[in-house]
Amino acid sequence: SIRRGLTDLTRFSGRDSRAQFWPYALFVTGLTMVAAAVGMGVTMGQVFARLQKFAAEHPDQATVLSGPDGYSIQIQGDHPELIMDFTPMVVIDSVAVAAAVLLLAAAVTRRLHDRGRQGYWGLAPLPFLAVGLSLLPRVFAGSGEGAESLILALFFNNVVYLVLLIVLVVLLAKGSDLGVNRFGPPAA
């Protein structure tokens, strides 16, 4: 079913059973999670490198603790230049999510067709996903006037996104329509 999902990337007609859809959907989701982990690893690696460099150049303002249980750097004072830059993580995650949406679009449509629903149901969470991804860098950018309202807007946007995503997953998880429906015969 993974090979079928990859070869049918542009086939938005017909129907897919649960057995055809879910292995492919989980495969794409797994790839997306790996990409997100890479994005976080790149970001955290940059932060640790900056902290280590600062600690080496300013031993009077940094305490480095190293032992068998862990490694810690404590910085005294206010150093905004050391604040984590989330840009690489957000860019990698956004590209990974966009790729996942493109890889899943046709399969989600065919699965919804199997349930007797239009493929457009699969679009419902996407505007909220896009808004969340676009607001995230501004939230990470920090404080300032309006930061609390931006965080609150992101929170409510994400709640709506999650509700719509759960509705979509429930639609995708339910059993197939028996027999022929307006989208054709059941998947072979």
Side-chain angles (χ1 to χ4, degrees):
S1 68
I2 293 170
R3 182 178 303 139
R4 181 174 189 254
L6 290 170
T7 58
D8 288 346
L9 283 176
T10 59
R11 187 174 64 83
F12 287 83
S13 62
R15 296 168 59 175
D16 277 357
S17 67
R18 285 187 286 198
Q20 292 167 325
F21 173 77
W22 283 107
Y24 175 68
L26 293 173
F27 171 74
V28 171
T29 302
L31 286 177
T32 305
M33 290 180 163
V34 167
V38 167
M40 180 57 88
V42 167
T43 301
M44 294 307 293
Q46 291 172 347
V47 168
F48 290 139
R50 272 199 317 266
L51 290 173
Q52 287 175 330
K53 182 179 178 187
F54 181 87
E57 292 173 353
H58 304 90
D60 57 317
Q61 297 178 39
T63 305
V64 178
L65 302 173
S66 180
D69 294 333
Y71 180 81
S72 168
I73 300 175
Q74 297 174 352
I75 307 291
Q76 290 80 33
D78 184 27
H79 300 282
E81 73 276 10
L82 297 177
I83 292 176
M84 197 168 164
D85 178 15
F86 287 96
T87 304
M89 181 185 72
V90 172
V91 168
I92 291 171
D93 288 352
S94 296
V95 169
V97 167
V101 167
L102 292 174
L103 288 170
L104 288 171
V108 166
T109 300
R110 291 190 307 271
R111 180 70 196 119
L112 288 168
H113 286 174
D114 193 51
R115 300 262 310 111
R117 302 221 179 240
Q118 294 264 349
Y120 296 115
W121 281 85
L123 297 174
L126 293 184
F128 298 94
L129 176 63
V131 167
L133 287 172
S134 67
L135 287 180
L136 201 57
R138 291 176 44 198
V139 168
F140 284 142
S143 58
E145 197 169 313
E148 293 85 12
S149 60
L150 188 61
I151 291 170
L152 192 60
L154 183 62
F155 173 77
F156 285 116
N157 176 80
N158 289 349
V159 168
V160 173
Y161 166 71
L162 288 174
V163 167
L164 290 171
L165 188 63
I166 289 167
V167 168
L168 179 59
V169 168
V170 167
L171 287 173
L172 296 170
K174 286 187 173 183
S176 301
D177 279 358
L178 299 177
V180 176
N181 69 16
R182 63 184 170 151
F183 298 104

